[in-house]
Amino acid sequence: MPTSTNIADRRARHVSLPGQVRERAVVLLAELFAELPDPFEELLFDCAMNAGSRKDAFLDAAGELRRRRQEIFMQFHERLQQSWDALQEGHPQQVEDAFAGSLRDPLSLVTDQELELRLATRSLAETIRRECKDALAELDARMICVAGDPVPEGWRNPVGPEQVGMAVYRSFAICDFAPEARLELIQLCEARLVPGMARAYAALNEWLAQAGVEPRMPARPSSAPKTAADAPAHDVAELDDEVAGAPRWASRFLDRIVGLPPASGAAAHAGAAAVVPLQDQGDAPSVQGVLLEALHYLLRQSRQANVGAGESVAAAGVDAPHRRDLSQHEMLSVLSLLQTAPAASLSTAADDTGGSLAQRLKNEVFDRAQQLGVEPGTVRLSPGDEDVIDLVGMLFDVMLDERNIAGRSRELIGRLLVPFVKAAMLDRRLFVQKAHPARRLLNALAEACEGNDGERPAARQLLAKVEEVVERLLAEFNESLSIFLTLEEEFRAYLEQYRRGIEIAERRAAEAQRGQERLEAARARTRAELQQRVSGAPLPQAIKDFLYQPWAHHVTLTVLREGEQGDGLRDALAAADALLDEMAEARRNVVGKPWLQQARPALRTVFAGIGMTPDAADHAVDALCDTLQSVAEQRPELEKALPELPPVEPPKPARPAAAPLQVVAGTDTLDFDAGDARYFRNLPIGAWLDFIGQDNKVQPCKLSWVSPISSRLLFVNRNGVNVCVASPEELAVMVRLGRLRKHRSESAFDSAMQGVIDRLEPAAVG
C-alpha cells in the first residue's frame, strides 16, 4: 500500500484520483439517502393522523413523495455533484449563498416557515458533525490532499455535513410540499441519516487510505506563537484538550505561573490542600493542581496588599494564632443554613455595586456559626476555605459588574452565590475543569439572564424557568453535586428550544437589514438616473411630476425585483428617455405629430405600477401628449396636469430593528488603525465581540451578517436583536475609543475568571 504524503508524486501516480473520489463519495451518499423512502412515507401518514385540519397537507405530501421519489433522489445526487464542481472551479459553495439562491422572489422576505426549514437544515449538519466527529476530521484532512495545492479559499469538504444538509434541503424543495411536511422530512433525516453517515465517512476514509491518501492538515505559519497568551483560538482549543479539561482562560495564565515564587509554610499547606482532591481522583493534577496553587498564591498576595494599604486585620481575614479553623462539617452546615434561609444582607448584595460579595458572605458565615453554638472569637476560616469564598465572591462580582444582567435576572444570579461556594468547597475542580456540571449550569443560567429584560413573553417564560431552577437548587442541593448535572441537562434542553426562536429573530434582523440596504441602493440608483434627466432645461410640470413620482417609484421597484442589470430597468429608462426625446422634439416646434405613440405601452405600465386603472393610465398619458403639443405650439396655457395620482408609498421590505448603539456621527474623517479595520473585514460570520457601553457594561454580540452591498457588519445580541450595524472602519474607531474588544469567551464563567485574574494580578505584582 503506498504511504507517501508527497502530493506532487501522488498526483503523478493518481491523475484520475479526484474524479474517482468524487464518483465514489457521491454515489455512496446518494445510495444512503435512497434507502429512506419508506420511513418518509410512514412519517407523513403518522403526521396526517394527528394533524387535525392540516391532515390533507400531509396526505398530499405523501402522494407527492411517492410520485416524485426518483426526482428527489436525483436532486440529492445533483446537489453533491454541484459542490464538487464548485470546488474544482476554485469557488467552494457557501451554505448562505445556496439558501439565498433558493428564493423564488428575491424581493420577498424569508417567511417564518422558511426560517424553520433553514434552522432544521443547520441542525442536521451540526448533528452529523457532532456524531461523526472523529471520522469527519480524518476525512477532511484527506480531502485537502485530494483538493490539491493550493487549497481554495473558503474550502469546504464537498461531502461534509453542510453540503449534505443543503442536498437534503434542496431535494425536498423541488416538490410541492406544505412547509410543515418539509420540516418533518428534514427532521426525520436528522434521526435516520446520521448513523449511516458515520459508516459512509469511515468507508471513504478506508478507501482513501488504500489509495495512498494520507491525512494532511493545512500548513500553519512558520512563526508560531511563543506563549499560550499569543496563541490563536484554534491552538487554544487544542491546549484545552491537552490539559485534560483545563479552562480556556488558563491558556492566557499558564505562561505567567512559571514566574510565581514558590509557596512556603502555611501558604504552601493551603495550596497543597487544594490539590489533594484532584490527585485523589486522578484528574490531571500536574496542570489543574498548578492552576489552583497559582490562584491561591494570587489571593494571598492580594489580601496582604490590602492589609498593607490600611485594611484591618479582621476585615482581611488574617488568622489569629489562638483561633481554630472551622471544620469542613461546620462550614457546610453554615452554608446549608444560608442556602435555605438566606440573610437579608446577601439577598440585597447583588444589587449593591459598592460592596464585596465575598466579605459579606464571610460576615454571615461567622454570624450563622454563632447560631450553631460556635463561640464567637474562637474560630477562623481555614486558608483554603477563605480562598474559595474569595474566588467565588470575586467571580460573581465580575459577572454582575461586567455583563448585561439587571433587574430580576441580577437577583436570580446573586442567589446562586452560596450554593456555588458550597459546591467549590466540595470539589475545587469547579475552578479549573471546563466540563464541571456546576460551571455548565452557571453558564447556561447566565446566558439566559444576560440582556433579558423580560419584556417579551418568551423572555418572561425563560426567566420563570431560571427561577424554577434556582429554587430547586436551593431546596435540593445537599452534599451531592449530581443535582447540578440534573438541572443543567433539563435547563439546556429548555434553552435549546428558546434558542430556536432566537435564531429566527436573528435571521429576521439580517433579512430586515438586507432589505433596507437593497432599498437604499435602489433609491440611490433612482436618484442618479433622475438627476441625469432633469438637470438640463426646466421641464413642464406634468412631465416633472411623472418623473419624480410614478416613474421614480417604478424604477425603484424594478431595481429591487430584478437588480440593476435586468430587462425591466432597461425598459423603464428607455420609457423616460423616449418621453424626453419627444420633449426635445416639441421644443423644436414640431406641430401635429402623434406624440408618444411608441412609448405609450411602457408609460401605461409605469402608471399601473402605482395602482392606476387602465382608463386612468390612458388619461395620464393623454395629459403628457397634450403637454408636449402645448410646448410644440409655444402655448403654455394649454399644458395639461396629470390626473390625481394615487399616494405612492415607498417600498418597505421590513421594519428594521432599532440599533440603540450609536457608532460614529458628525465626522467626515475617522481616526482608526488600518490593521483593526482589516481584521474586521475578515471577521467570520458567527464571531463574537464585546461591545462596551458608556456605563462600562459589556454586551457580547455575534456577527450575524455582512452586507454584500455596503460591506457593513450586523451584530446581534444573545436574544437575536440588532445591536449594531457598522462598517469595518467604524468598528476600528470603536476599538480606539475603548468601546469594542475581542470576545473573551462564550462562557460566562471563563470570562468572569479572567476578570478575577485581571483584578488579582496588579496586587500580586505590587
Side-chain angles (χ1 to χ4, degrees):
M1 180 189 306
T3 57
S4 172
T5 58
N6 184 291
I7 305 301
D9 290 347
R10 186 180 301 117
R11 278 204 294 263
R13 290 195 304 272
H14 300 287
V15 176
S16 61
L17 180 61
Q20 295 174 12
V21 175
R22 168 182 180 149
E23 185 64 25
R24 191 174 191 87
V26 171
V27 169
L28 184 62
L29 295 183
E31 289 177 349
L32 181 65
F33 184 70
E35 295 173 358
L36 298 177
D38 292 337
F40 286 161
E41 292 186 37
E42 291 174 9
L43 171 73
L44 293 174
F45 281 120
D46 289 343
C47 290
M49 296 303 101
N50 301 301
S53 62
R54 297 294 294 164
K55 175 180 180 179
D56 289 344
F58 288 101
L59 292 177
D60 291 345
E64 178 82 351
L65 178 66
R66 192 179 304 110
R67 287 191 300 273
R68 305 189 65 181
R69 177 181 302 183
Q70 191 61 34
E71 294 176 62
I72 293 172
F73 299 145
M74 290 302 297
Q75 179 66 24
F76 183 89
H77 185 279
E78 182 180 337
R79 171 66 196 182
L80 291 181
Q81 292 280 15
Q82 289 172 358
S83 69
W84 278 92
D85 292 340
L87 175 65
Q88 291 178 341
E89 293 168 4
H91 302 289
Q93 288 189 343
Q94 304 298 318
V95 173
E96 290 302 323
D97 295 338
F99 278 141
S102 67
L103 288 176
R104 295 180 181 177
D105 182 2
L107 181 59
S108 65
L109 291 175
V110 177
T111 63
D112 288 343
Q113 293 91 341
E114 174 63 19
L115 286 174
E116 285 282 359
L117 292 170
R118 294 185 181 188
L119 291 176
T121 303
R122 291 189 178 89
S123 177
L124 169 61
E126 290 168 4
T127 301
I128 294 174
R129 184 166 296 281
R130 182 177 65 252
E131 298 299 324
C132 309
K133 177 181 177 182
D134 295 337
L136 185 59
E138 183 179 348
L139 183 62
D140 284 345
R142 294 183 191 276
M143 285 295 189
I144 289 175
C145 294
V146 176
D149 293 321
V151 177
E153 183 179 356
W155 181 87
R156 293 288 186 277
N157 186 340
V159 290
E162 293 80 9
Q163 302 300 343
V164 172
M166 280 308 306
V168 171
Y169 171 87
R170 297 296 289 271
S171 297
F172 295 130
I174 66 172
C175 296
D176 189 19
F177 291 146
E180 56 265 44
R182 238 179 111 190
L183 181 62
E184 291 288 348
L185 290 171
I186 294 175
Q187 291 173 342
L188 178 67
C189 286
E190 184 172 347
R192 300 292 181 88
L193 189 63
V194 173
M197 290 297 302
R199 295 191 298 271
Y201 285 155
L204 283 174
N205 273 317
E206 183 178 355
W207 185 83
L208 287 169
Q210 292 174 357
V213 180
E214 296 300 319
R216 179 175 70 92
M217 298 305 295
R220 296 194 178 189
S222 57
S223 55
K226 297 293 189 294
T227 66
D230 299 323
H234 60 271
D235 290 335
V236 173
E238 291 170 6
L239 175 63
D240 280 348
D241 294 334
E242 290 171 5
V243 300
R248 189 170 293 248
W249 59 264
S251 66
R252 298 191 293 270
F253 184 46
L254 280 170
D255 61 314
R256 291 176 287 191
I257 291 177
V258 179
L260 296 178
S264 60
H269 173 73
V275 180
V276 169
L278 298 179
Q279 294 170 333
D280 290 344
Q281 298 177 44
D283 195 357
S286 61
V287 175
Q288 296 182 345
V290 170
L291 282 171
L292 280 171
E293 188 169 0
L295 288 172
H296 283 280
Y297 171 82
L298 289 179
L299 285 165
R300 293 190 297 273
Q301 292 295 100
S302 175
R303 282 196 289 270
Q304 291 174 11
N306 289 335
V307 173
E311 185 177 311
S312 69
V313 172
V318 176
D319 298 336
H322 62 279
R323 298 181 182 180
R324 68 174 180 84
D325 292 348
L326 279 170
S327 68
Q328 184 182 44
H329 176 73
E330 289 172 326
M331 277 297 303
L332 292 176
S333 297
V334 168
L335 291 172
S336 295
L337 278 177
L338 288 170
Q339 176 181 307
T340 55
S345 61
L346 287 179
S347 299
T348 60
D351 293 327
D352 183 3
T353 58
S356 163
L357 288 173
Q359 191 56 50
R360 293 191 187 204
L361 181 54
K362 290 177 190 177
N363 295 337
E364 291 298 333
V365 165
F366 288 117
D367 288 345
R368 291 300 172 95
Q370 186 176 355
Q371 295 177 20
L372 292 176
V374 177
E375 201 172 324
T378 64
V379 293
R380 65 188 177 188
L381 297 174
S382 70
D385 288 348
E386 186 173 14
D387 285 350
V388 167
I389 292 177
D390 283 339
L391 268 177
V392 177
M394 291 182 69
L395 184 140
F396 274 76
D397 281 334
V398 172
M399 188 180 301
L400 294 173
D401 286 348
E402 293 191 356
R403 300 186 90 84
N404 183 24
I405 301 176
R408 179 64 175 154
S409 298
R410 190 178 184 90
E411 178 188 344
L412 291 171
I413 294 296
R415 293 174 64 187
L416 297 171
L417 173 65
V418 172
F420 270 82
V421 169
K422 186 175 168 182
M425 288 186 175
L426 290 168
D427 186 1
R428 286 181 170 86
R429 289 177 301 178
L430 183 150
F431 295 113
V432 293
Q433 189 180 63
K434 65 182 180 181
H436 196 284
R439 284 180 57 168
R440 289 171 59 87
L441 178 61
L442 182 60
N443 286 333
L445 294 174
E447 178 184 339
C449 288
E450 187 167 11
N452 190 342
D453 51 16
E455 290 185 357
R456 297 174 295 111
R460 287 194 294 273
Q461 292 173 8
L462 183 62
L463 279 183
K465 187 65 176 178
V466 171
E467 184 171 11
E468 177 189 327
V469 171
V470 172
E471 293 290 350
R472 282 189 59 189
L473 181 64
L474 294 174
E476 300 177 25
F477 177 34
N478 41 46
E479 295 185 13
S480 171
L481 297 177
S482 61
I483 184 63
F484 287 94
L485 181 61
T486 299
L487 292 177
E488 191 270 337
E489 289 178 348
E490 292 178 3
F491 187 70
R492 283 281 178 188
Y494 183 91
L495 195 58
E496 285 299 322
Q497 300 233 340
Y498 178 78
R499 282 179 183 149
R500 291 178 68 85
I502 296 303
E503 290 178 357
I504 290 177
E506 179 184 332
R507 292 292 161 188
R508 182 66 69 208
E511 288 294 330
Q513 185 63 31
R514 173 177 173 270
Q516 187 66 26
E517 293 209 357
R518 291 185 64 229
L519 177 57
E520 291 173 2
R523 285 174 171 169
R525 176 63 187 270
T526 300
R527 285 194 297 270
E529 297 292 347
L530 189 60
Q531 183 62 30
Q532 180 181 340
R533 286 163 176 77
V534 301
S535 58
L539 295 172
Q541 191 62 43
I543 294 178
K544 196 172 180 180
D545 288 345
F546 167 77
L547 291 174
Y548 274 95
Q549 294 181 58
W551 183 79
H553 181 73
H554 178 71
V555 170
T556 301
L557 282 181
T558 300
V559 173
L560 279 173
R561 288 195 184 99
E562 303 179 15
E564 298 192 13
Q565 306 301 323
D567 293 341
L569 178 60
R570 187 187 66 245
D571 294 342
L573 298 180
D577 290 340
L579 175 61
L580 293 174
D581 287 344
E582 298 274 79
M583 180 67 199
E585 194 166 354
R587 282 176 173 153
R588 292 196 293 270
N589 306 120
V590 177
V591 179
K593 176 182 176 179
W595 302 102
L596 301 176
Q597 292 305 304
Q598 297 295 326
R600 185 175 284 268
L603 296 176
R604 282 201 204 99
T605 300
V606 172
F607 283 114
I610 61 171
M612 296 182 74
T613 65
D615 288 343
D618 282 333
H619 288 313
V621 176
D622 290 340
L624 293 176
C625 293
D626 292 342
T627 297
L628 291 173
Q629 184 63 30
S630 70
V631 171
E633 296 178 5
Q634 297 184 346
R635 298 180 61 184
E637 70 277 7
L638 297 181
E639 287 185 15
K640 292 289 182 70
L642 291 178
E644 183 177 359
L645 300 174
V648 176
E649 288 290 334
K652 297 178 181 179
R655 184 180 58 151
L661 183 63
Q662 287 295 113
V663 181
V664 175
T667 58
D668 295 327
T669 59
L670 303 179
D671 183 15
F672 62 88
D673 185 280
D676 289 339
R678 186 165 52 251
Y679 169 82
F680 291 121
R681 288 191 197 97
N682 297 321
L683 198 65
I685 298 291
W688 288 79
L689 297 176
D690 286 339
F691 287 80
I692 305 168
Q694 298 290 354
D695 57 357
N696 289 325
K697 292 289 186 182
V698 179
Q699 181 170 212
C701 294
K702 182 174 73 171
L703 176 58
S704 176
W705 177 75
V706 178
S707 169
I709 300 172
S710 65
S711 298
R712 287 187 289 182
L713 292 80
L714 168 67
F715 290 89
V716 297
N717 63 15
R718 293 194 186 279
N719 293 321
V721 176
N722 178 349
V723 170
C724 176
V725 181
S727 67
E729 293 76 16
E730 289 171 325
L731 293 170
V733 172
M734 295 179 67
V735 172
R736 183 175 289 275
L737 295 175
R739 298 186 59 197
L740 185 63
R741 72 186 185 199
K742 291 183 180 180
H743 186 52
R744 282 178 169 171
S745 172
E746 290 189 26
S747 158
F749 190 101
D750 286 351
S751 181
M753 277 301 298
Q754 184 58 43
V756 170
I757 300 302
D758 293 343
R759 293 186 182 189
L760 287 175
E761 279 195 315
V765 173

